[in-house]
Amino acid sequence: MRKWVPTILVVIVLIVGWVYAASQNYFREEEAVQAKLLGIQSEDIQSITIHDSTAETSGAAASSTLTLEHGVWQMVEPKAYPLNGYSVSSWLDALSGANQEMVVEEAPADLDKYGLGTDATRMDIQLKDHREIKLAIGAQLPADDARYVRVDEGPVVAVQTEAINNIALSRRDLLDTTPFNMDETNVGSLEWEGEAATWMLTSTSENGAAEQTWTLNGKTIEAADAVSLIGKIKNLSTADDVRKASELKGTVPRFTLSVEQTVNGQQVRDVYRGLTLPSEPDQIWIITPDGQWAYALETTSLTEAEKFPDTIKTSTEGK
């Protein structure tokens, strides 16, 4: 038996070593590190020009340029439209974080077969070090889970469709399309003054919006009704490009909406004006508190806000 002791000890040592090695992933193949599509960080980007050919431009190429000015992203072409800061930030992260799945063709001779010819979605990305990256996004791969992409004059590569959906944004995707800047949790009062109705919604406590006590024209109403109205007004969105308010001529006042809310510990009162043009009675232009921008909304989209007291009266009678 003694002669087997060394052999047994060796076997035990080997087993222990194997278990340890397995626990440290020594026997697993290293995962391939995916190459970044652009090889940049979001903070490297100085400006981006989107070249778009869509039905709304009747097939003509339309360009939109965004640039970083004093730490804030601004749209400078075709106009200085207001941007949605969250959308822009997510877009920059998507551009810098996109991976290429594989190289499809190293030196493509026919770009049209990949949808990378004249029909491609194109972006010009200017970096802070003055380098420029030209990005072209083409057709879908046969498997339908990726798109053909080319960076500068490089190879045609495949990029997952999900990543492309976060990259290939239009100007409209990046605009701030909601005229009413408010937060349900911060609003203390709303006052509507118009030709068809006048009302005041006021909070009488400082708790969260859903826990506040709300009054409408001095009468207590359900917090859920107040919070629902605020949310619906806040989420109203234009389907058109924002216009400079100064471009509107011959308008007729329709209503004003005064919003009082707490922002960074300070009480702020913003007044939004609703205007109509005699030639467009079914459309209301919402003028932002700073007087700069005009957002087009369908008149019917504001009916619920305008008739809010009637809605509350009806719901109360039905209880």
Side-chain angles (χ1 to χ4, degrees):
M1 181 65 182
R2 289 181 178 178
K3 69 178 181 179
W4 294 103
V5 170
T7 302
I8 294 173
L9 290 175
V10 170
V11 171
I12 292 173
V13 170
L14 289 173
I15 292 174
V16 171
W18 185 89
V19 170
Y20 176 78
S23 70
Q24 300 299 310
N25 297 328
Y26 289 166
F27 299 134
R28 296 182 183 178
E29 293 184 9
E30 283 192 30
E31 294 184 4
V33 177
Q34 287 184 304
K36 291 297 182 183
L37 177 64
L38 301 179
I40 60 173
Q41 301 297 318
S42 58
E43 56 266 27
D44 297 333
I45 302 174
Q46 179 62 44
S47 69
I48 305 176
T49 296
I50 304 170
H51 302 287
D52 187 23
S53 180
T54 63
E56 69 180 61
T57 57
S58 302
S63 296
S64 301
T65 299
L66 287 73
T67 187
L68 185 64
E69 297 179 357
H70 307 294
V72 179
W73 280 93
Q74 309 280 350
M75 181 170 285
V76 294
E77 293 291 343
K79 292 183 180 180
Y81 292 124
L83 295 172
N84 183 312
Y86 175 79
S87 297
V88 173
S89 178
S90 298
W91 182 48
L92 297 176
D93 289 341
L95 282 165
S96 62
N99 296 319
Q100 66 178 50
E101 300 299 310
M102 64 177 182
V103 175
V104 177
E105 186 175 355
E106 286 284 359
D110 182 6
L111 293 175
D112 286 333
K113 70 178 181 181
Y114 299 115
L116 291 168
T118 56
D119 294 333
T121 297
R122 299 183 183 278
M123 296 182 194
D124 298 335
I125 303 170
Q126 187 77 38
L127 304 182
K128 292 178 180 177
D129 62 5
H130 305 297
R131 286 184 296 148
E132 185 178 42
I133 297 174
K134 292 187 177 295
L135 176 66
I137 300 170
Q140 290 183 320
L141 272 70
D144 203 33
D145 60 350
R147 298 271 294 275
Y148 296 111
V149 176
R150 194 184 193 201
V151 178
D152 295 327
E153 300 299 316
V156 174
V157 300
V159 177
Q160 285 190 351
T161 300
E162 181 179 358
I164 293 299
N165 290 341
N166 294 326
I167 290 174
L169 302 186
S170 67
R171 177 178 76 244
R172 186 66 52 78
D173 295 324
L174 299 167
L175 293 182
D176 182 1
T177 59
T178 55
F180 298 104
N181 183 17
M182 65 178 79
D183 188 325
E184 294 96 321
T185 60
N186 296 335
V187 172
S189 71
L190 297 180
E191 184 176 1
W192 182 286
E193 295 185 50
E195 58 182 23
T198 298
W199 52 260
M200 177 176 283
L201 177 69
T202 307
S203 168
T204 58
S205 61
E206 297 181 356
N207 299 322
E211 301 175 5
Q212 291 176 347
T213 301
W214 291 90
T215 62
L216 177 63
N217 296 334
K219 296 181 180 180
T220 301
I221 65 170
E222 295 288 339
D225 291 326
V227 174
S228 175
L229 174 70
I230 295 170
K232 287 176 180 177
I233 294 176
K234 165 191 168 182
N235 292 322
L236 288 172
S237 177
T238 182
D240 300 316
D241 280 344
V242 180
R243 291 179 61 178
K244 283 281 190 180
S246 58
E247 296 176 0
L248 299 177
K249 306 297 182 183
T251 56
V252 178
R254 173 68 183 271
F255 69 84
T256 60
L257 177 65
S258 302
V259 181
E260 289 189 355
Q261 56 185 332
T262 303
V263 180
N264 297 325
Q266 302 292 321
Q267 291 293 113
V268 178
R269 184 173 185 267
D270 292 323
V271 179
Y272 298 87
R273 292 180 295 140
L275 308 176
T276 59
L277 292 170
S279 59
E280 301 173 349
D282 296 329
Q283 186 166 263
I284 293 181
W285 290 94
I286 306 300
I287 310 301
T288 53
D290 59 11
Q292 290 193 40
W293 299 106
Y295 291 74
L297 296 178
E298 294 296 320
T299 303
T300 53
S301 67
L302 287 157
T303 300
E304 185 172 357
E306 191 166 50
K307 302 296 183 181
F308 184 53
D310 295 338
T311 304
I312 296 302
K313 182 179 179 181
T314 300
S315 63
T316 303
E317 289 176 345
K319 293 181 180 179

